[in-house]
Amino acid sequence: MRFEMHLPSEILKSYVQAFAIQENANESTYKVLPGTSLVIGFQFKGKLSYLENGHEIPLETFGITGLQNSYRIFKNTPETGTVLVFFKEGGAAAFFKNPLHELFRESVSLDNFMLRSELLLLEERLCEASTDQKKIGVVEQFLIARMNPGSTDQLVVAALSIIHKNKGTIRIKDLADQLHISQSPLEKRFRQAVGASPKKFASIVRLKNVIEQQREIETLTRLGYEAGYYDQAHFIKEFRTFTGEPPEKYFKKK
């Protein structure tokens, strides 16, 4: 597999974390853990699918995947190529009018958000682009044409910062109190901009921090405790949902 990251242009860097070109010459399957932002995939060759409950579910040629709270297994056909757009947390809201929490745990076609004629033109331009940089340039122009720069909700930006500062362990009531807003409107604004409720988002941040901090903490019991899991069975259950494996087995591979 070839996977190369590229930084966005100046005009998009407030909303897009990175672009990536992913190419697979051979058929393969691979696991992807949940992240904290939405991802768009523009396939310029081959086909991708994901496996769920024993079924293979095809992904659209141009599609967006919302936040996930559990791992996914992807499968590609031989000679597959995709341009991936990794948004910053809350960044996708600048390009979509729909409340983004409707995409939680979903992967849907971009047909749901824009004209088919726009996508056909984009597909044609991607096929004509002969280099990685040209392909990314095509996608950047597509995004810039749809961008609404004034759509960033600063309250949500502040909420994201607090959640990360607390490594996902903060209670949502305490989060609302720190932001001087009641819990209900905070949750509504957060869901619309980020793609999940504050509680679900904090859970993703919490488990990502567990994985990142594992080498610094001696025992799994201590690791769970440091992440705010006072019930070891609950920690193991949530970790297994997130990664597909219990902590001991997962970390042995690292």
Side-chain angles (χ1 to χ4, degrees):
M1 178 192 293
R2 181 172 77 93
F3 188 88
E4 295 185 5
M5 302 289 286
H6 300 262
L7 294 176
S9 60
E10 188 71 20
I11 194 171
L12 289 173
K13 71 177 186 179
S14 295
Y15 311 103
V16 175
Q17 184 71 37
F19 294 96
I21 300 290
Q22 179 175 306
E23 289 189 298
N24 289 311
N26 304 311
E27 181 177 286
S28 63
T29 58
Y30 52 95
K31 180 190 292 186
V32 176
L33 299 186
T36 55
S37 61
L38 285 75
V39 179
I40 291 181
F42 298 93
Q43 290 172 232
F44 53 87
K45 61 179 178 179
K47 293 292 182 182
L48 281 171
S49 58
Y50 65 94
L51 309 180
E52 185 173 87
N53 299 323
H55 299 285
E56 186 173 328
I57 302 170
L59 289 171
E60 298 290 341
T61 302
F62 295 161
I64 182 168
T65 294
L67 295 189
Q68 308 290 311
N69 63 350
S70 62
Y71 71 99
R72 267 189 175 178
I73 302 293
F74 288 90
K75 181 179 180 180
N76 65 269
T77 62
E79 299 300 333
T80 301
T82 311
V83 180
L84 295 166
V85 183
F86 295 94
F87 288 102
K88 289 189 172 181
E89 295 163 359
F95 305 90
F96 296 93
K97 296 179 181 178
N98 306 57
L100 294 180
H101 67 274
E102 295 176 357
L103 296 173
F104 187 70
R105 298 191 65 188
E106 298 290 340
S107 292
V108 302
S109 172
L110 289 183
D111 282 352
N112 292 284
F113 307 99
M114 56 201 70
L115 295 174
R116 182 61 182 164
S117 57
E118 291 182 82
L119 298 177
L120 289 172
L121 180 59
L122 176 62
E123 185 174 14
E124 181 181 327
R125 289 176 175 171
L126 272 178
C127 290
E128 291 173 352
S130 56
T131 66
D132 290 355
Q133 289 294 345
K134 288 180 179 179
K135 286 181 171 61
I136 290 169
V138 168
V139 172
E140 284 205 313
Q141 289 303 312
F142 174 78
L143 291 175
I144 290 168
R146 295 186 54 81
M147 186 170 62
N148 177 14
S151 60
T152 302
D153 189 331
Q154 293 303 320
L155 180 95
V156 172
V157 172
L160 288 166
S161 177
I162 293 170
I163 289 171
H164 278 290
K165 183 178 179 180
N166 287 273
K167 299 180 180 179
T169 61
I170 190 169
R171 296 191 309 164
I172 306 309
K173 182 182 182 304
D174 294 338
L175 176 64
D177 288 345
Q178 287 191 40
L179 294 168
H180 308 292
I181 187 173
S182 60
Q183 192 168 329
S184 180
L186 168 62
E187 290 186 346
K188 181 179 179 180
R189 289 165 66 175
F190 194 97
R191 286 196 308 269
Q192 289 177 335
V194 177
S197 69
K199 183 176 180 179
K200 289 176 180 176
F201 181 85
S203 178
I204 296 169
V205 171
R206 189 183 191 185
L207 285 160
K208 283 177 68 68
N209 271 280
V210 165
I211 292 171
E212 291 168 3
Q213 292 182 343
Q214 183 267 335
R215 292 183 180 179
E216 303 171 12
I217 299 175
E218 294 179 358
T219 68
L220 292 178
T221 301
R222 184 67 182 175
L223 183 65
Y225 182 81
E226 290 289 332
Y229 292 100
Y230 304 115
D231 180 337
Q232 189 71 359
H234 179 56
F235 168 52
I236 292 171
K237 180 181 178 181
E238 288 213 348
F239 192 94
R240 186 193 292 269
T241 298
F242 194 79
T243 66
E245 300 172 293
E248 185 174 5
K249 182 178 179 181
Y250 180 85
F251 289 124
K252 274 185 178 179
K253 296 179 180 179
K254 296 295 179 180

